[in-house]
Amino acid sequence: MRRHELSDEEWAIIAPLLPNKSRGVERVDDRRVINGILWRFRTGCSWRDIPERYGPRTLQSVLALA
C-alpha cells in the first residue's frame, strides 16, 4: 500500500457501497480508480498528472470532466 491509498480496512468499508453491475461498459477496478481520485486530492496535482497506475489516461479524462 502506498501512502495515499486506501488500506484494506478502509476498502472493506467502502466496497459494499459501490455499484457492482455494469451498464454495457466493462467496469474498471474501483479500488484503483478511487485511490487515483484520493491521490489527486491529497497531492493537489492536476488530473493529467495522476500516475498511470491509477488507470489509463482516458479514464482520467472522464474524471476531469466530472
Side-chain angles (χ1 to χ4, degrees):
M1 181 178 75
R2 296 172 189 257
R3 185 171 67 153
H4 296 291
E5 295 183 355
L6 295 170
S7 68
D8 290 338
E9 293 82 18
E10 292 168 327
W11 181 247
I13 294 168
I14 294 172
L17 303 174
L18 299 174
N20 59 5
K21 293 184 180 176
S22 179
R23 293 187 178 185
V25 178
E26 186 177 335
R27 292 197 55 84
V28 296
D29 179 8
D30 289 330
R31 187 172 184 169
R32 184 172 76 156
V33 172
I34 292 174
N35 279 331
I37 294 168
L38 293 174
W39 187 90
R40 189 264 184 223
F41 286 115
R42 289 176 178 166
T43 62
C45 76
S46 65
W47 286 106
R48 68 178 162 266
D49 294 331
I50 297 173
E52 183 81 19
R53 68 178 174 264
Y54 295 122
R57 182 88 174 132
T58 54
L59 178 61
Q60 294 172 12
S61 298
V62 171
L63 292 174
L65 297 175

